[in-house]
Every structure is written in C-alpha cells, then in structure tokens.
Amino acid sequence: MMQADIQSIQRIAQDLNNVRGQLQTTKSQIGEISTTLELLEEQPEDNAVFRAVGPLLLEVGDRSKLKSSLNSSLEALIGHSSKLEDLEQQLLKEYERISAQIES
C-alpha cells in the first residue's frame, strides 16, 4: 500500500466529514426557515410579529418583505444543500475508487 494512497484516503475522509457537517447544518437551517414560514402563515394579521436582530427583538412592520427575505434564504440554502450532496457523492466515489486500488 502506497503512502500517497493512505494520505489521499485520509484527506477524502476528512473532506467527507466536513461536507457532511455542513450538510447537516444547512438542512437544519432549511428546517428552521420552513417552520418559521409555516408559523408566519398561521399568525393572524393583527398579531404582532417580531424578529431577532442581534440581542434585540424588533417588531416586523412589513410581513411580505419578511416572507420574501425568508423565501430567498430558503432557496439559497436549498441550492447550497444540493451542491453539498453532489460533492458528498463525488467524494464517496473517489474514496471507493482509491480503496479498491489499495486492495488490489
């Protein structure tokens, strides 16, 4: 077994862990925003809605602007998540390829 192969496997495993960590974080954020949008829909129009800004809770004046902002964030996160999933698959294939190379 070549030292270069071992180093490649270690690097790929590390990259895979990083990608999976980012993916978990991203999916968690997607879930949070989705839940927020659902709850926002259920709120009666005359109820005040607040948004955390740093250590402050500020009342939201324009709900449609807030929804639009949340939807934009959601779309960006879904796109990012998709790219991370593609990268995860590439890394897995590369890991399997090098593993097979080492075994033969």
Side-chain angles (χ1 to χ4, degrees), residues 81-91:
S81 172
S82 176
K83 285 180 183 146
L84 287 170
E85 285 171 347
D86 290 346
L87 183 55
E88 180 186 32
Q89 289 310 307
Q90 287 172 15
L91 288 167

Side-chain angles (χ1 to χ4, degrees), residues 41-70:
E41 281 303 311
E42 294 169 11
Q43 284 294 308
E45 282 300 316
D46 52 351
N47 280 18
V49 171
F50 295 87
R51 180 178 203 162
V53 179
L56 301 176
L57 268 185
L58 301 178
E59 189 168 351
V60 173
D62 186 345
R63 277 195 199 197
S64 62
K65 195 173 169 186
L66 174 64
K67 285 179 195 172
S68 173
S69 167
L70 288 169

